[in-house]
Amino acid sequence: MKNVKVTYFDAEGTGEAIRWLLAYGGQEFEDIRVGFADWAALKPKTPHGVLPLLEFDGKVYGQSFAICRYLGKKYGLAGNTLEEDLVIDQNTDFYADVRLKGIQSFWEPDAHVKAVKQEALVKTVYPELLPKLEKILKENNGHMALGRLTWADFVFAGFYEGFKQQSLIPDMDEKYPSFKKLRETVSNLPAIKKYLASKSK
Amino acid sequence: MKNVKVTYFDAEGTGEAIRWLLAYGGQEFEDIRVGFADWAALKPKTPHGVLPLLEFDGKVYGQSFAICRYLGKKYGLAGNTLEEDLVIDQNTDFYADVRLKGIQSFWEPDAHVKAVKQEALVKTVYPELLPKLEKILKENNGHMALGRLTWADFVFAGFYEGFKQQSLIPDMDEKYPSFKKLRETVSNLPAIKKYLASKSK
């Protein structure tokens, strides 16, 4: 895979898992960070009107989960059977569903509507869904699927800070320690540690 | 694959693509249709609090896209390389993104907020995204990816009636004839035609 570029905002968001997977795979890449001022001009030129994008060999791909699944398969972080891949995919999609609830509320422009939505999340939705997510991690040896490291862990960990922020649960680390632990498991992998250290310079 | 069961509501929604893929694969299955009255009792027993579910060999799987990808791989409707699978996945996820915009507005309980959201969709979001979706179909010989039949076509076609309904674009068939055509391409496949005929009895 030559001439690899990742285009995303200067944030973790949905792009960080891609960066981490490339770092894990030992693949050098150009880490393009788009400023919000430049986004309006770039948006119409993207395939789906959104970031992140992965470019390699002159081809541009979008959709972060699709890209993460692809890199996961490339770097030995996928299942060994179709059924194992199905488990990785379903657990990743469930995490996406949970995260989406927070995103919808977080970005709601109407303050009253936002308050109503957030109350429903805190009272009903999160108490149902977050323990289900926690159960998945507990049943999988602290991982998202298959009881071992897969690309789903990169999706979870790379998105986790945004997930925490957008869900407006400031004490998520304390309430669901297995979440924080998975973030640490992935960010402490030697290749990721090295990548993060290089970024912090 | 023995003892196959699909559990979903008595609607097309996100379950129909799974039923069609099983029919395409020549796999008999128990087509369990949950009434809304029974859903409240079933919901806490599901892995993610949502339907559809696919059960086989005593194991239960959730998340419709994950299940469709799995069945697509099983029945020769996937890519031949990792890059081809990435294209299928990204285009399917883009369709999901577009569809989600409509879902969020359609199910908004506050009438005023719903009207504001719908106006934004019709004025800004759909004119940007629907032509992008149409472009994908045109560039792919009427299909969602790879210029040929893949499981992404089943996702598109199986969801299409719901997509039309939830987007509140009653003339979508006329405005985007390639959408309607792909629905017909899939529903006219011999195995799907046979399945639909058996259901209409």
Side-chain angles (χ1 to χ4, degrees):
Chain A
M1 207 197 276
K2 294 165 193 171
N3 304 317
V4 178
K5 296 177 191 174
V6 176
T7 305
Y8 191 62
F9 304 105
D10 189 20
E12 292 199 350
T14 54
E16 191 70 2
I18 296 171
R19 297 176 188 132
W20 288 12
L21 281 161
L22 287 166
Y24 180 86
Q27 174 63 55
E28 288 190 15
F29 63 99
E30 197 179 332
D31 187 5
I32 301 167
R33 309 254 174 166
V34 180
F36 286 103
D38 301 320
W39 172 229
L42 178 63
K43 184 176 166 68
K45 296 178 196 159
T46 64
H48 309 131
V50 289
L51 298 180
L53 299 174
L54 174 71
E55 183 179 336
F56 61 87
D57 291 346
K59 282 183 195 153
V60 177
Y61 300 90
Q63 300 293 337
S64 65
F65 278 33
I67 294 169
C68 288
R69 183 179 300 107
Y70 168 74
L71 295 174
K73 288 188 172 281
K74 224 171 168 75
Y75 301 140
L77 292 166
N80 294 318
T81 62
L82 294 183
E83 287 74 22
E84 285 193 357
D85 276 334
L86 171 51
V87 172
I88 294 175
D89 286 352
Q90 70 158 10
N91 291 1
T92 308
D93 284 354
F94 174 58
Y95 178 49
D97 278 359
V98 179
R99 193 165 167 271
L100 190 65
K101 308 274 182 193
I103 292 172
Q104 288 173 1
S105 170
F106 186 78
W107 292 104
E108 170 59 53
D110 183 303
H112 173 67
V113 174
K114 182 172 176 164
V116 171
K117 277 192 206 290
Q118 191 61 30
E119 198 190 342
L121 286 179
V122 171
K123 277 199 180 161
T124 318
V125 179
Y126 287 141
E128 180 202 342
L129 297 184
L130 294 181
K132 280 184 194 281
L133 187 58
E134 194 178 38
K135 190 167 167 255
I136 288 173
L137 300 192
K138 283 186 177 164
E139 287 174 352
N140 283 287
N141 195 22
H143 293 284
M144 275 286 279
L146 312 187
R148 63 166 171 89
L149 188 73
T150 68
W151 64 268
D153 293 328
F154 285 73
V155 169
F156 183 95
F159 287 4
Y160 181 62
E161 291 303 321
F163 176 49
K164 239 180 2 185
Q165 186 197 356
Q166 290 166 346
S167 61
L168 301 178
I169 305 178
D171 57 346
M172 193 182 272
D173 283 350
E174 291 73 40
K175 269 190 170 161
Y176 300 96
S178 58
F179 294 178
K180 188 190 173 199
K181 193 151 177 280
L182 181 51
R183 160 85 184 190
E184 289 170 353
T185 299
V186 180
S187 62
N188 283 328
L189 291 168
I192 311 309
K193 226 172 167 169
K194 195 178 150 195
Y195 166 78
L196 289 171
S198 77
K199 278 289 143 188
S200 67
K201 274 175 199 161
Chain B
M1 206 197 279
K2 292 167 192 169
N3 307 317
V4 178
K5 296 177 189 175
V6 176
T7 305
Y8 192 60
F9 303 107
D10 189 19
E12 291 199 351
T14 54
E16 191 70 1
I18 296 170
R19 297 176 188 132
W20 288 13
L21 281 162
L22 288 167
Y24 181 86
Q27 174 64 55
E28 289 191 15
F29 62 98
E30 197 179 332
D31 187 5
I32 301 167
R33 308 256 174 166
V34 180
F36 286 103
D38 301 321
W39 173 228
L42 178 63
K43 187 177 165 68
K45 295 178 196 159
T46 64
H48 310 131
V50 288
L51 298 180
L53 300 174
L54 175 71
E55 183 179 336
F56 60 86
D57 291 345
K59 282 183 194 152
V60 177
Y61 300 90
Q63 300 292 339
S64 66
F65 278 32
I67 294 169
C68 288
R69 183 179 300 106
Y70 168 74
L71 295 173
K73 287 188 172 280
K74 224 173 167 74
Y75 300 141
L77 292 167
N80 294 317
T81 62
L82 294 184
E83 286 75 22
E84 285 193 357
D85 276 335
L86 171 52
V87 172
I88 295 175
D89 286 352
Q90 70 159 8
N91 292 0
T92 309
D93 284 354
F94 174 57
Y95 178 49
D97 277 359
V98 180
R99 194 166 166 268
L100 190 65
K101 309 274 183 192
I103 292 171
Q104 288 172 0
S105 171
F106 186 79
W107 293 104
E108 170 58 54
D110 183 304
H112 173 68
V113 174
K114 183 172 176 164
V116 171
K117 277 192 205 288
Q118 190 62 29
E119 199 190 343
L121 287 179
V122 170
K123 278 199 179 162
T124 318
V125 179
Y126 288 141
E128 180 203 344
L129 298 184
L130 295 181
K132 279 184 194 281
L133 187 56
E134 195 179 36
K135 190 166 168 256
I136 289 173
L137 300 192
K138 284 186 176 164
E139 288 174 352
N140 283 288
N141 194 24
H143 292 284
M144 276 286 280
L146 312 187
R148 63 165 171 89
L149 189 73
T150 67
W151 64 267
D153 294 328
F154 285 72
V155 169
F156 184 96
F159 286 5
Y160 181 61
E161 291 303 321
F163 177 48
K164 239 179 4 183
Q165 186 198 356
Q166 289 166 347
S167 61
L168 300 178
I169 305 178
D171 57 345
M172 193 182 272
D173 285 349
E174 291 73 39
K175 270 190 169 160
Y176 300 96
S178 58
F179 295 178
K180 187 192 173 194
K181 194 153 176 282
L182 181 50
R183 161 82 184 193
E184 288 169 355
T185 298
V186 181
S187 60
N188 283 328
L189 290 168
I192 311 309
K193 227 173 165 170
K194 196 177 149 193
Y195 167 77
L196 290 170
S198 78
K199 277 288 143 189
S200 67
K201 271 172 201 164

